[in-house]
Amino acid sequence: AAISINAMPGHPNIGIVATPSFCVFGDVGASTVKADTTTTKAAAAPKAIDDKKKGKKAKKAGNDKKAPASAPADTPTAPVDPALMAKYERILSVGEECQEPPELLAMLQKKPAFNAYDGFEPSGRMHIAQGVFKAVNVNKLTSSGCTFIFWVADWFALMNDKMGGDLAKIKVVGEYLKEVWAASGMDLTGNKVVFKWASDEITSNADTYWPKMLDIASKFNITRVKKCCQIMGRLEGNLSAAQVLYPLMQCTDVFFLKADVCQLGVDQRKVNMLARDYCDAAKIKFKPVILSHHMLYGLKAGQEKMSKSDPDSAVFMEDTREDVRRKIMNAYCPTKAEDDAADAGAEVEDAGRESMHLKGDGLKNPCLDYVENIVFGPEGSTFEAGGKKYADFASVKADFLSGALAENALKEGLIDALNLLLEPVRQHFTNNAA
């Protein structure tokens, strides 16, 4: 794809990359996404950030999805090497949103070998988004000079009451997830990917971890912290005391792990933005870049995301061929967009119910979502359906919406593609049952 470099509005010396298939979020103002409502009128703690005092500029920098923060004053202005721009574009392709592209480019110029992190709760079976989709994204980052740190959040799973609150079971599930990633094609060679257990690391470095968490806690009021509840899949008005600590600890993880890039899902966006706001409060010059990946739809109508509690809402990594066929053939697969006009701009009463999708998508077709993000996720992928071989997702979608590609043919092609991706995982657990 051709690469064009345009001046960033307000920053004539900062290049912004655009390609036919990807728009860098230098100006997100055209998006239909509502601004984050992570600040409230509630009184702050003694040292808490007061958004009213900070003014509109500070509020937008931390909480508004429409207004990107200013780039660092020392952002390089020299011509950028084409190889670096290719790496930059590859990294951006991982995220549905990036906060902020100029900062990412500046970081790559100063620090070619950087750290990215994602945290995961060992909480049961792994669905295909956490398995294949994550493996694809990690490989894109490690091939771009990144060391990827997986934060095995066993204590977090305990706080979130996963696996019945049994830490021993949580640790077993954590080992299972590592096995799935290895079998699904994640490149684990050469220490490109590092796994760190939260319980071990925090216990061994308590003198570093807890003071940082307390400092972060002192900078925000309780209402702001509760607005991050979506990261746990919980409602704002129904949190235990331990679950209120969860966002503060997750924010601490970013600094404890020295993460240059936070590569988590859109559902984790609020706590990552909390980390960026903490940098303002603590006068930390370089903020972590937030690269939020897309959240795949559940297979049933109206499901914003996959759910481990509903086995038919997603394809799971150890599903049999028969499971995959049944789930995909029964999946919601509309050809016309839903009428969301009544919901557009509506205020969400509880932060836990806010949408997990930043891009406007009235169609909400999970089958097309799988084709775009799972099948076409790896670079150079193709898709076969209805007797035709496709080299890009746009052509698949166009044919499906026009009727040139029937629903049954689309689903048959998707079933074949998914089984091809899952077969190595099935073989791994069949041949290594112990």
Side-chain angles (χ1 to χ4, degrees):
I3 298 175
S4 62
I5 305 177
N6 305 311
M8 177 180 175
H11 299 273
N13 293 322
I14 301 175
I16 300 297
V17 174
T19 73
S21 61
F22 187 85
C23 175
V24 174
F25 297 87
D27 179 10
V28 195
S31 171
T32 59
V33 180
K34 295 186 298 177
D36 243 346
T37 56
T38 51
T39 55
T40 69
K41 296 181 181 180
K47 294 184 180 180
I49 294 174
D50 186 333
D51 284 328
K52 289 184 178 179
K53 291 181 181 179
K54 287 178 67 179
K56 294 181 180 179
K57 183 176 180 181
K59 185 175 181 180
K60 286 185 177 181
N63 302 307
D64 196 335
K65 295 178 183 177
K66 296 182 181 180
S70 298
D74 60 347
T75 301
T77 59
V80 183
D81 178 72
L84 179 61
M85 294 308 296
K87 178 190 293 188
Y88 171 70
E89 186 178 74
R90 186 185 312 118
I91 293 171
L92 282 174
S93 73
V94 169
E96 188 166 287
E97 179 196 54
C98 177
Q99 295 279 347
E100 298 284 344
E103 295 174 16
L104 173 61
L105 181 58
M107 183 203 73
L108 291 174
Q109 289 178 306
K110 291 175 177 289
K111 192 175 182 181
F114 61 96
N115 292 331
Y117 111 98
D118 188 1
F120 67 93
E121 287 183 2
S123 58
R125 301 172 67 199
M126 181 185 281
H127 53 57
I128 199 164
Q130 191 179 13
V132 173
F133 189 39
K134 191 68 202 180
V136 168
N137 285 339
V138 169
N139 288 347
K140 286 180 179 178
L141 289 170
T142 55
S143 66
S144 301
C146 161
T147 295
F148 200 97
I149 302 169
F150 273 112
W151 187 237
V152 189
D154 48 355
W155 272 3
F156 292 77
L158 188 65
M159 284 189 286
N160 211 8
D161 198 30
K162 298 297 176 69
M163 305 304 295
D166 188 326
L167 191 58
K169 291 180 180 178
I170 290 169
K171 286 185 174 292
V172 170
V173 175
E175 292 296 338
Y176 151 76
L177 298 180
K178 290 167 62 177
E179 290 287 314
V180 175
W181 276 318
S184 64
M186 185 180 290
D187 185 0
L188 303 178
T189 62
N191 295 320
K192 296 175 183 176
V193 178
V194 178
F195 291 90
K196 294 188 176 184
W197 292 81
S199 58
D200 295 338
E201 295 293 328
I202 294 173
T203 300
S204 300
N205 299 279
D207 59 335
T208 300
Y209 189 91
W210 295 117
K212 174 61 75 173
M213 195 212 78
L214 290 173
D215 189 55
I216 290 171
S218 73
K219 300 296 193 291
F220 302 98
N221 61 42
I222 189 68
T223 306
R224 172 68 192 281
V225 173
K226 288 169 65 177
K227 290 293 182 184
C228 298
C229 65
Q230 192 180 65
I231 67 173
M232 298 171 280
R234 303 288 177 178
L235 295 180
E236 181 182 354
N238 191 30
L239 299 177
S240 69
Q243 288 163 350
V244 173
L245 288 177
Y246 192 116
L248 295 170
M249 290 178 66
Q250 186 169 327
C251 185
T252 304
D253 297 341
V254 176
F255 303 98
F256 178 72
L257 297 171
K258 296 179 172 58
D260 301 299
V261 176
C262 299
Q263 203 293 283
L264 297 88
V266 170
D267 61 332
Q268 306 296 303
R269 181 186 186 278
K270 285 182 180 290
V271 76
N272 290 331
M273 295 304 293
L274 193 74
R276 286 176 62 86
D277 282 355
Y278 171 70
C279 290
D280 289 332
K283 296 180 172 54
I284 297 173
K285 183 177 181 182
F286 295 106
K287 300 178 181 180
V289 172
I290 312 303
L291 198 60
S292 304
H293 65 247
H294 173 70
M295 301 294 292
L296 271 72
Y297 293 113
L299 292 175
K300 298 178 180 178
Q303 288 185 324
E304 274 268 302
K305 68 167 189 172
M306 302 172 174
S307 172
K308 291 182 180 180
S309 62
D310 181 357
D312 287 330
S313 72
V315 169
F316 287 82
M317 294 300 293
E318 73 278 11
D319 275 353
T320 65
R321 288 178 172 273
E322 292 73 23
D323 289 331
V324 173
R325 171 165 290 278
R326 173 177 53 80
K327 291 179 181 184
I328 297 302
M329 293 307 291
N330 291 332
Y332 180 58
C333 194
T335 56
K336 294 183 179 179
E338 297 177 356
D339 184 8
D340 288 339
D343 297 328
E347 188 69 26
V348 179
E349 292 183 1
D350 194 298
R353 299 187 188 278
E354 291 184 4
S355 175
M356 298 182 185
H357 298 275
L358 299 178
K359 293 181 181 178
D361 176 16
L363 200 61
K364 299 179 181 178
N365 184 319
C367 295
L368 289 178
D369 206 20
Y370 271 46
V371 172
E372 179 178 15
N373 294 288
I374 302 295
V375 180
F376 278 112
E379 294 176 288
S381 297
T382 59
F383 176 65
E384 294 188 32
K388 184 175 178 179
K389 187 173 185 178
Y390 295 91
D392 61 88
F393 171 70
S395 300
V396 177
K397 183 176 181 179
D399 278 4
F400 176 70
L401 296 182
S402 71
L405 179 61
E407 177 181 332
N408 190 68
L410 172 72
K411 288 184 172 181
E412 289 288 352
L414 180 56
I415 290 167
D416 290 342
L418 294 179
N419 277 321
L420 192 63
L421 291 169
L422 295 178
E423 190 58 28
V425 178
R426 296 183 189 125
Q427 291 299 320
H428 174 79
F429 285 104
T430 298
N431 300 327
N432 298 276

